[in-house]
Amino acid sequence: VYGLKVEVWLYMFLIWDLVFLAWFDLKYMLLPSKMIYVGLGSGIAFPLIQGIILNNYSLIINGLIGAVSGYILFLLLFYGSKWLLKKEGLGFGDVRLMALIGFFIGVELLPLMLIIASFSAVLVGACLYVIRKQSEAFPFGPFLCIGTLLIILFQDEVIHFYLQCMGI
């Protein structure tokens, strides 16, 4: 029962952090590092406490693998876009945000979250292009936050829908 309470608080904190980060990125096209670090710090603290109390460290290990995987993937995208496009394809706040998200959802759910975020961003980008008749930059952080929220709140339904679309 105690472990469940810690997990609920952890996800409530993450949801508020993601909502704030999405709003801030939409408004200022910037993801504040301090809010990402606060979320990551609490994200590490809660499972660590839970692991000590329940003598189960799998949450923290899975989270660390997810954080490192998300960070490295977006770090490669950050520098790859600078090298290929000669400009930033995404901001470094997105790289940090992926570490936060990867920690909370783990490495197994990162690809599905990225599919949701990317599909949503492409859809919105295409609509903006049609409406404004020109290509312009828009923040990717809110789409990462939306994808993460969908995974957290509706994990079973999202996985079922994805497998159904894939014919599995």
Side-chain angles (χ1 to χ4, degrees):
V1 173
Y2 180 78
L4 180 62
K5 289 180 185 176
V6 171
E7 193 171 309
V8 168
W9 280 106
L10 179 63
Y11 282 119
M12 283 177 51
F13 183 81
L14 173 66
I15 289 168
W16 282 111
D17 199 28
L18 290 175
V19 168
F20 172 80
L21 288 168
W23 169 81
F24 201 90
D25 201 14
L26 280 171
K27 185 165 179 132
Y28 301 107
M29 285 208 40
L30 181 72
L31 289 164
S33 297
K34 288 182 183 177
M35 281 305 292
I36 293 171
Y37 295 147
V38 165
L40 197 54
S42 66
I44 291 171
F46 282 122
L48 187 59
I49 293 167
Q50 186 177 15
I52 290 169
I53 291 170
L54 300 175
N55 199 24
N56 179 359
Y57 297 95
S58 63
L59 284 176
I60 193 85
I61 292 169
N62 187 37
L64 288 173
I65 293 170
V68 170
S69 299
Y71 186 83
I72 289 174
L73 173 65
F74 266 51
L75 190 66
L76 292 172
L77 287 172
F78 177 80
Y79 285 114
S81 67
K82 275 187 154 186
W83 180 66
L84 284 172
L85 304 174
K86 308 295 185 224
K87 63 179 181 176
E88 284 187 4
L90 53 95
F92 207 78
D94 296 317
V95 177
R96 291 184 192 105
L97 180 59
M98 277 301 290
L100 171 66
I101 291 169
F103 187 81
F104 277 93
I105 66 173
V107 70
E108 301 89 9
L109 293 173
L110 269 179
L112 186 54
M113 185 280 300
L114 284 172
I115 290 169
I116 294 168
S118 299
F119 181 76
S120 302
V122 166
L123 192 62
V124 168
C127 290
L128 287 174
Y129 182 79
V130 167
I131 292 168
R132 297 183 179 159
K133 307 285 190 250
Q134 66 181 9
S135 178
E136 60 186 63
F138 61 93
F140 189 51
F143 299 101
L144 294 172
C145 293
I146 289 168
T148 303
L149 289 172
L150 287 173
I151 290 292
I152 289 170
L153 297 173
F154 307 106
Q155 180 175 338
D156 293 337
E157 292 85 355
V158 170
I159 291 171
H160 177 73
F161 178 74
Y162 175 74
L163 292 175
Q164 194 175 25
C165 289
M166 298 304 293
I168 299 173

